[in-house]
Amino acid sequence: MSASTSQDGDALLAAVDARALLSCPSCGSAHVAQVLGDNGGVSYVCTSCGHCWS
């Protein structure tokens, strides 16, 4: 396996780990989408209850 493939795999695992830890602070659901905020920052929205936060 090439070094770039290994690095890509590591980045993907890190993204999956971060997602697994993310849950809605309102309802606790893990069904959360990452979206771009109005000012270019990152915001999140719960696809279960509609709660938004950043």
Side-chain angles (χ1 to χ4, degrees):
M1 181 183 320
S2 70
S4 66
T5 303
S6 176
Q7 290 172 348
D8 291 344
D10 291 344
L12 179 60
L13 286 175
V16 168
D17 286 344
R19 247 191 215 168
L21 297 174
L22 188 62
S23 62
C24 176
S26 181
C27 72
S29 173
H31 295 266
V32 175
Q34 183 176 345
V35 295
L36 291 177
D38 292 338
N39 61 358
V42 175
S43 295
Y44 304 94
V45 62
C46 176
T47 58
S48 293
C49 73
H51 179 74
C52 298
W53 71 99
S54 55

